[in-house]
Amino acid sequence: MSLVDRARSATTLAGGLGTILDSGLPAPAPAGHTLVPAGHPGQPLAHPLAGWEGLALVRAERVSCPEAVRLLAAVRIGLTERMLRAAVEHLTGRVADGRPLVDHPVLRGELADLTATLALCWQGLGTGTSTAALHATLDRAGWATSVLFGASGYLRDHPVRCLYLAELVHDTWSDHVGLA
Amino acid sequence: MSDWREIGRALRAGALALDAAPHDTEAIAADEALRAVAELDPIMLSGKDSAAALIELARGDAGMVLAAPGPALAGRVLAQLGDDEQRERLRAAVAGGRTWAYLAITEPDVGSDATRLRTELRRDTDGRYRLYGTKRYIGNGHRGTVGVVLARTGPSPLALRAVLLDTARARTRPLDMLGLRGAQISELEFDGVPVEERDLLGAHLSPLRRGMWSIAQVFTAVRVQVAALAVGTAFAIHDLVADHHPSSPTLDDAHANIRAAEALVLRAAAEADHDRESAAPAASLAKLTATGVALDVARTLPRLLGPAALVTHPLLEKWCRDVRAFEFMEGTSQIQRLHAAQGIVRGSVWHAT
């Protein structure tokens, strides 16, 4: 299995980051600090959310690593696909207007759009879609997936929180600056 | 409005501490800016004035605004459905920042779909009403001692009443949310909580207007206020980024979009003040657009500050979590789309003239 395939098949955010960093790539830290799996070398800094997903914020030498940021997109694709499958189960179990939510056309359309978006991102990893564009798309797809869980997806202990933490990892890993 | 803006600015000082420890009621009680927010009396203000004030306050920090003791969104319901005695009871209960008021609509599994709410208001053999059921995702539900609860009075989807609870207590527990933690979103469980006749809101209205009709008006009023909080948070994000980044087309576009959303919110609020019944689609459009603009601002502007902006600026990161809460308050964007579409089909949505 290739590295990008292994990144996509990670079942946790920390596991996905571990797959990338265990390959020998440095943890990107363009601002001098970075979110990494807990236990990764580096001087730990306080962060209110990192521990939720087994991560730690550490001080690190300023370094960019575009390949690690590209592989992070693969991790995010895999986690979003996983959460999308969980969302289908959630929507199957909830009823509105006498039928499961998953049978409502609006939500079916959303599930199809999200699946298509993730498939396009996955292909884009191999065809040279810019990493910044991939992550911007994954930000939107991650939120759209979280919304499928309703307010329960906004609880701190809900597994879909990993998609928000993945956004924060991207924030510390990427040296891309938005259009100014 | 500059006063509200000043108070909003002062709110920022305590925002991160509150996010870390939303249960610290002593810290809340000691915060002068929060005491000033408690002066906001939605019962006395028009919906438009209340929305305008909330925008300025949330420009400071929406979590702090919602942590402020006071009538909050329950006040808007009382302004609409309460009689003079009930309004006075709410006002007296929260006077001087004594306590928080909650508005309990949403339930587990059914969200805020009013036609499927399960919480029941039953009349016992002794003639007294009792409240049974569970409400979930209720701001200030754990720390508040007064509030408005929406309950079913019969099997018909339209058989609903709102009740004011200021003495009887539910079993409550705070929920650990990702963001907007200052609101201390909670779960409330009612297991036969007694309700007096004088607690029923809308008794002075005609029977046709006490139930579902009045609840629909409540949603219209409250959705506009939630939209105002979203707009204020979008301004907050813009302001912080603008403080650290030179003027740019991205920033200017974002500011123009936030102002456009603000205009829609204030217009919907004014429409609801004039005729709440016909303003429902406008309120849904206002919430839909305000939430969307706020999310977009949260997604794009922090990147202007370069790598790790959300670590370097913890308030920015907090607001990026907070704006997501507005999606779930008083109906998701999908629900707002359905309401807005209904208005479009009926021809009752105003056009962009």
Side-chain angles (χ1 to χ4, degrees), chain A residues 27 29 32-45 56-61:
Chain A
H33 37 250
T34 181
L35 281 166
V36 288
H40 192 83
Q43 182 195 341
L45 301 166
L57 179 71
V58 298
R59 197 181 303 281
E61 193 179 332

Side-chain angles (χ1 to χ4, degrees), chain B:
Chain B
M1 208 43 62
S2 59
D3 285 352
W4 293 123
R5 186 170 293 187
E6 284 302 313
I7 295 168
R9 284 200 189 109
L11 286 174
R12 284 195 189 175
L16 285 172
L18 179 68
D19 185 62
H23 316 313
D24 189 350
T25 49
E26 282 181 24
I28 292 171
D31 192 298
E32 275 184 36
L34 281 178
R35 281 206 295 274
V37 176
E39 298 300 313
L40 178 68
D41 184 352
I43 298 175
M44 294 298 290
L45 292 175
S46 68
K48 185 181 178 188
D49 287 345
S50 179
L54 280 181
I55 289 171
E56 296 302 332
L57 291 170
R59 197 167 185 157
D61 183 79
M64 288 288 280
V65 175
L66 294 174
L73 297 177
R76 284 245 56 80
V77 179
L78 265 290
Q80 184 183 323
L81 293 181
D83 59 28
D84 289 344
E85 188 262 346
Q86 289 163 335
R87 290 175 189 176
E88 194 44 47
R89 279 166 59 196
L90 177 63
R91 198 176 276 127
V94 301
R98 199 174 298 147
T99 190
W100 295 260
Y102 56 83
L103 173 59
I105 297 175
T106 310
E107 296 185 3
D109 299 327
V110 302
S112 55
D113 180 352
T115 62
R116 298 177 59 234
L117 296 182
R118 296 178 189 137
T119 296
E120 275 185 89
L121 188 62
R122 288 188 217 150
R123 198 158 206 167
D124 282 349
T125 47
D126 61 2
R128 292 184 73 186
Y129 288 103
R130 289 185 186 278
L131 201 54
Y132 297 89
T134 302
K135 295 287 182 183
R136 202 153 205 237
Y137 309 121
I138 309 304
N140 290 318
H142 180 66
R143 55 165 89 110
T145 56
V146 60
V148 172
V149 181
L150 192 55
R152 177 162 304 294
T153 53
S156 159
L158 306 181
L160 294 165
R161 285 297 285 272
V163 300
L164 173 67
L165 291 186
D166 57 353
T167 50
R169 292 301 317 274
R171 271 201 301 275
T172 65
R173 71 180 175 103
L175 300 171
D176 199 4
M177 307 305 288
L178 180 68
L180 208 64
R181 290 161 59 77
Q184 200 177 52
I185 310 289
S186 309
E187 183 172 276
L188 290 78
E189 198 182 329
F190 304 96
D191 185 14
V193 169
V195 173
E196 306 291 337
E197 196 84 39
R198 70 187 196 111
D199 301 331
L200 303 179
L201 302 186
H204 61 299
L205 300 172
S206 72
L208 282 176
R209 299 205 152 193
R210 286 175 193 159
M212 193 61 190
W213 181 90
S214 60
I215 301 311
Q217 317 311 305
V218 167
F219 273 119
T220 297
V222 173
R223 279 173 182 151
V224 174
Q225 306 302 313
V226 173
L229 291 167
V231 167
T233 305
F235 272 129
I237 293 169
H238 171 274
D239 294 349
L240 192 149
V241 173
D243 283 348
H244 295 84
H245 191 274
S247 177
S248 74
T250 305
L251 261 178
D252 294 346
D253 281 352
H255 192 254
N257 275 341
I258 302 166
R259 290 198 58 203
E262 178 185 36
L264 275 178
V265 170
L266 295 178
R267 185 172 172 176
E271 197 169 318
D273 284 336
H274 176 67
D275 179 1
R276 194 163 286 126
E277 190 168 3
S278 67
S284 287
L285 273 180
K287 181 170 184 271
L288 184 64
T289 50
T291 308
V293 166
L295 278 165
D296 200 41
V297 164
R299 200 175 282 135
T300 54
L301 293 195
R303 295 220 63 78
L304 294 178
L305 300 182
L310 299 179
V311 171
T312 312
H313 303 281
L315 261 180
L316 204 51
E317 189 282 323
K318 186 187 100 67
W319 291 330
C320 288
R321 277 183 285 128
D322 287 352
V323 290
R324 296 166 184 234
F326 304 126
E327 166 68 19
F328 304 111
M329 294 169 73
E330 320 315 337
T332 62
S333 291
Q334 291 291 16
I335 298 293
Q336 309 309 333
R337 287 186 187 100
L338 293 175
H339 286 297
Q342 216 164 18
I344 293 164
V345 171
R346 287 180 183 160
S348 60
V349 172
W350 25 254
H351 296 283
T353 53

Side-chain angles (χ1 to χ4, degrees), chain A residues 39 49 66 69 74-75 109 111 125 138 141 151 154 170 173:
Chain A
L49 317 177
V69 182
V75 172
L111 291 173
L125 270 175
L138 289 166
Y154 197 60
H170 174 244
W173 281 29

